Amino acid sequence: MTDQELIDTARKYREFSYSPYSKFKVGAAVLTKKGNVYGGCNIENSSYPVTNCAERTAIFKAVSEGEKEIEAIALIADTEGPCSPCGACRQVMGEFHINKIIMANLKGDVKVVTLDELLPYAFTDKDL
Ligand code: THU
């Protein structure tokens, strides 16, 4: 699975976005070490903070299928530059040691970063 194929999957899942409040659609897709792909979208709630981001939807789908080893995650939204993941999602990416984050937008801009770049000095299980 290429980075572009993972982005294309995230783009497909973006269409499932449930975002009646923000109208901001986000899609994500994770690639596991076994080679499986799980997609996700943002799912909003009338109680706004209950909203789940696309990245966490995709990660939780993988983990709940027994797949905790994740190679990469792609996310996409209609942003000016490549869409950057929120802080909560970065923390969850850290929990599952996802070290390749592929940020994209609908125009075709792509930026690939590591978790260390997105979340330096992260709080981890080693701190407990
Ligand atoms: N959102 C995501 O799905 N991922 C992010 O990393 C940033 C924000 C969603 C949450 C909410 O539904 C909408 O985008 C606007 O914040």
Side-chain angles (χ1 to χ4, degrees):
M1 157 91 34
T2 64
D3 288 1
Q4 190 54 52
E5 285 170 331
L6 202 60
I7 292 168
D8 292 343
T9 305
R11 192 180 184 120
K12 190 183 97 187
Y13 276 85
R14 179 178 170 272
E15 289 307 312
F16 300 138
S17 168
Y18 177 74
S19 43
Y21 306 106
S22 74
K23 316 254 192 271
F24 186 74
K25 295 179 176 189
V26 187
V30 300
L31 173 66
T32 68
K33 290 213 168 114
K34 281 188 191 165
N36 294 321
V37 174
Y38 298 89
C41 61
N42 54 330
I43 304 169
E44 298 188 343
N45 193 283
S46 56
S47 177
Y48 299 162
V50 182
T51 292
N52 208 59
C53 288
E55 304 92 301
R56 277 177 290 145
T57 302
I59 295 167
F60 294 159
K61 280 176 68 178
V63 174
S64 63
E65 293 296 329
E67 295 221 52
K68 286 186 280 289
E69 294 191 273
I70 299 171
E71 287 279 353
I73 184 165
L75 72 145
I76 188 165
D78 190 10
T79 41
E80 184 54 37
C83 185
S84 188
C86 83
C89 291
R90 293 176 194 206
Q91 185 67 23
V92 173
M93 290 172 196
E95 187 67 28
F96 296 104
H97 311 289
I98 305 175
N99 212 25
K100 180 175 178 183
I101 298 106
I102 305 160
M103 310 187 302
N105 66 10
L106 297 186
K107 294 184 286 182
D109 298 319
V110 176
K111 188 168 172 64
V112 182
V113 294
T114 64
L115 191 70
D116 238 22
E117 290 175 286
L118 288 182
L119 193 63
Y121 306 105
F123 181 83
T124 72
D125 55 352
K126 292 188 189 71
D127 294 302
L128 293 173

